[in-house]
Amino acid sequence: MAAASSTKKLMLAASPNKPRLSSKLVPPATIRGPPRRRKTKRFAVLATFITSKPTVLVAEKLGEAGLDLLKNFANVDCSYNLSPEELCTKISLCDALIVRSGTKVTREVFESSAGRLKVVGRAGVGIDNVDLSAATEHGCLVVNAPTANTIAAAEHGIALLTAMARNIAQADASVKAGKWQRNKYVGVSLVCKTLAVMGFGKVGTEVARRAKGLGMNVIAHDPYAQADRARAIGVELVSFEEAISTADFISLHMPLTPATSKMFNDEAFFKMKKGVRIVNVARGGVVDEEALVRALDSGIISQAALDVFTEEPPAKDSKLVLHENVTVTPHLGASTTEAQEGVAIEIAEAVIGALKGELAATAVNAPMVPAEVISELAPFVTLAEKLGGLAVQLVAGGSGVKSVKVTYASARGPDDLDTRLLRAMITKGIIEPISSVFVNLVNADFIAKQRGLRITEERIVLDGSPENPLEFIQVQIANVESKFGSAISDIGDIRVEGRVKDGKPHLTKVGSFGVDVSLEGSIILCRQVDQPGIIGKVGSLLGDNNVNVNFMSVGRIAPQKQAVMTIGVDEEPSREVLKKIGETHAIEEFVFLKL
Ligand SMILES: NC(=O)c1ccc[n+]([C@@H]2O[C@H](COP(=O)([O-])OP(=O)(O)OC[C@H]3O[C@@H](n4cnc5c(N)ncnc54)[C@H](O)[C@@H]3O)[C@@H](O)[C@H]2O)c1
Ligand SMILES: O=C(O)[C@H](O)COP(=O)(O)O
């Protein structure tokens, strides 16, 4: 056995405090286990437990039905029109924030929250107003309400398309100004014209369906859409060039991302059919607005109908807004009574779920794991976190944890196990005991990468029944010394292995020793020379000092040879008791581990 460290009796450390943040993961040089940790009484992958009633800041107007749901669960602060400074001040007192498109949730907001903000709910689809990287780095979940306003947005797109084609807004203003200009406002027909839907997602698809109903020929461009889904509703997917060069009308429905920012620019307008008409209910930023003014002035584009702008509200003297061939609305795509009620309920449910620690189906910056998978994996998620926490406590102080290998053994096929949750929880188990950062499913990979912790995963496919998602999980930490030499495996890594038994996580292997202890409370691991009387001695020592033993098992190589005794205890033994255990005859090393 390649024991990197076989210290006979371990010294008790003086300070149980958390170490300061360090770029290297260095476990505390203590056998008292990690410092006090958040108690989690229930399974939750986001571990966003809040013991008192949470506070939700609603920063933009939200439908009553959603507000009612929130008020049943949390203290709700509806504060609209906050300045960026006011938002940053308020946010440190809030567990959740709900916004629409009018609030910029910047890095400063996450920094100002000082870790309290657990979830940002975007009551709508577009999340371009939320700094997702900053949210992820701060372990803050971002959820949106992606479906409830689809129809409203599509209907608004069609409303703008038809209003533009028949000059409704301009003619309305003219009549109200006392004029009667029937010749000036002759429109164009839609029937048999070609509409290019740019972005064939939820809204784009609904616009396409409705435009087909108006007798239009609909083509679409979307690099990520499935051609057969488009074909099923009579829409042909084409290239960007073909879409913009053949269309009489173009309707924009892609999200604003670095890749789509200003994708409608001078170059794109130049390729369009002269006299084309454009509708934008997506985001102002996908269009280069100055280039659009030039294209309108030159007649390449004869009309535009815009619901969204790069800057909202746009400047009062905006050439684009004031252009006579432009019809505008103040970002009204989602603003129907029905959509706002739906969005409010959708976001309230997602935010409440996230505050309860559940994984939201509409998470934007965390893996979406189906509810049934989460429920099936629940005991293994707890096991994963505990194994990570145990493994890191076995590392000798001063060793940097850089390389962790996780092995999942299962009778299921390799593609039939979603390990993202498990990996995140192992990362949480490893990092939280030795640093002051908070790790959850949202930021686990980011934090691991930031700290130079490399986690590799391996699958072992076992024979047998695939009824259980997993048989065991093994966590190995490479290139470190251990404060409990027996935890070092035959290949020199610290190794712990666990299984779920009767729905409870159990530690079943330490180094090369088979053990069996339920992962509850705390654990004492002792290596001894197998001989009669040791178990009794240690048991009485604990009992005499009011420490309840909940579990005990001994794994040995052979009779009279070395054995590892695992003792599960409900209370933390005093230093004196631990010292006496260490001094017990035949005990060669021991370690106290807190779960
Ligand atoms: N005006 C409003 O009030 C309002 C209301 C709802 C949605 N929106 C906007 O509309 C956008 C679309 O909403 P959705 O619900 O349909 O979202 P969605 O995610 O269902 O659809 C977006 C589609 O855009 C496609 N896409 C991405 N990059 C593209 C590119 N470079 N070229 C072409 N297509 C690309 C995606 O593949 C996806 O199919 C949202 O991001 C939001 O910004 C505005
Ligand atoms: O992305 C969206 O959902 C729409 O742009 C709606 O935005 P709003 O919630 O500000 O109306």
Side-chain angles (χ1 to χ4, degrees), residues 208-221:
R209 275 187 219 283
R210 283 156 180 75
K212 295 284 292 178
L214 294 171
M216 298 186 84
N217 166 39
V218 183
I219 55 175
H221 168 70

Side-chain angles (χ1 to χ4, degrees), residues 324-589:
E324 63 168 344
N325 294 336
V326 174
T327 302
V328 289
T329 49
H331 202 146
L332 289 182
S335 295
T336 62
T337 313
E338 296 83 354
Q340 282 312 306
E341 283 303 294
V343 162
I345 292 169
E346 200 176 356
I347 205 63
E349 285 175 346
V351 166
I352 292 168
L355 287 173
K356 286 180 178 167
E358 296 162 8
L359 246 200
T362 57
V364 173
N365 62 342
M368 289 186 206
V369 186
E372 59 278 12
V373 174
I374 292 175
S375 127
E376 190 181 42
L377 285 184
F380 297 96
V381 169
T382 312
L383 173 67
E385 183 181 351
K386 299 221 172 197
L387 287 176
L390 277 185
V392 80
Q393 287 180 70
L394 288 165
V395 176
S399 308
V401 179
K402 291 281 169 211
S403 175
V404 173
K405 182 177 167 195
V406 184
T407 306
Y408 309 98
S410 165
R412 292 197 182 166
D415 298 332
D416 205 7
L417 177 70
D418 191 337
T419 62
R420 294 171 299 175
L421 276 176
L422 303 169
R423 188 179 66 237
M425 291 301 117
I426 288 166
T427 309
K428 179 178 171 68
I430 290 172
I431 292 178
E432 280 198 350
I434 55 173
S435 83
S436 58
V437 295
F438 165 78
V439 182
N440 63 10
L441 182 62
V442 175
N443 65 1
D445 285 348
F446 170 79
I447 298 274
K449 198 166 164 210
Q450 190 194 41
R451 304 190 141 238
L453 174 65
R454 190 165 163 266
I455 300 192
T456 52
E457 294 176 289
E458 188 182 75
R459 286 289 317 269
I460 298 178
V461 182
L462 304 171
D463 290 336
S465 154
E467 199 182 313
N468 283 335
L470 272 165
E471 286 307 317
F472 65 82
I473 302 177
Q474 191 179 86
V475 176
Q476 285 165 272
I477 303 183
N479 307 321
V480 287
E481 302 210 330
S482 177
K483 59 174 72 158
F484 185 68
S486 316
I488 300 287
S489 72
D490 46 358
I491 57 161
D493 293 349
I494 286 182
R495 179 197 291 168
V496 289
E497 192 175 295
R499 292 169 185 260
V500 169
K501 295 184 174 183
D502 298 325
K504 297 253 166 64
H506 278 236
L507 177 66
T508 51
K509 202 169 211 179
V510 174
S512 303
F513 290 90
V515 298
D516 191 350
V517 63
S518 162
L519 288 171
E520 287 171 298
S522 302
I523 291 179
I524 301 167
L525 293 176
C526 303
R527 185 184 70 205
Q528 77 237 31
V529 178
D530 182 39
Q531 57 189 265
I534 302 292
I535 297 176
K537 259 190 206 150
V538 175
S540 341
L541 201 57
L542 291 166
D544 292 347
N545 287 279
N546 285 328
V547 178
N548 192 42
V549 173
N550 60 39
F551 223 91
M552 192 175 246
S553 84
V554 179
R556 61 186 188 181
I557 298 169
Q560 314 292 309
K561 294 267 165 55
Q562 285 191 325
V564 164
M565 174 162 61
T566 44
I567 310 163
V569 286
D570 290 336
E571 293 84 24
E572 182 171 343
S574 67
R575 283 162 167 244
E576 289 65 41
V577 173
L578 287 172
K579 194 160 173 276
K580 280 184 192 155
I581 293 175
E583 286 163 0
T584 304
H585 167 68
I587 289 191
E588 296 185 329
E589 62 170 351

Side-chain angles (χ1 to χ4, degrees), residues 100-101 122 124-128 145-147 149-154 156 197-205 221-225 229 240 252-257 259-261 263-264 280-284 286 307-308 312 329-335 340:
R100 288 178 61 186
S101 61
R122 161 62 172 108
V125 188
I127 29 88
D128 44 281
T147 57
N149 68 21
T150 301
I151 298 299
H156 198 65
V197 171
M198 309 299 285
F200 196 67
K202 294 183 293 296
V203 179
T205 304
H221 168 70
D222 186 327
Y224 314 107
R229 197 172 58 78
F240 181 76
L252 311 185
H253 301 289
M254 66 277 290
L256 175 60
T257 65
T260 62
S261 174
M263 68 186 288
F264 296 92
N280 187 5
V281 290
R283 280 293 179 269
V286 302
D307 183 45
V308 284
E312 293 185 359
T329 49
H331 202 146
L332 289 182
S335 295
Q340 282 312 306

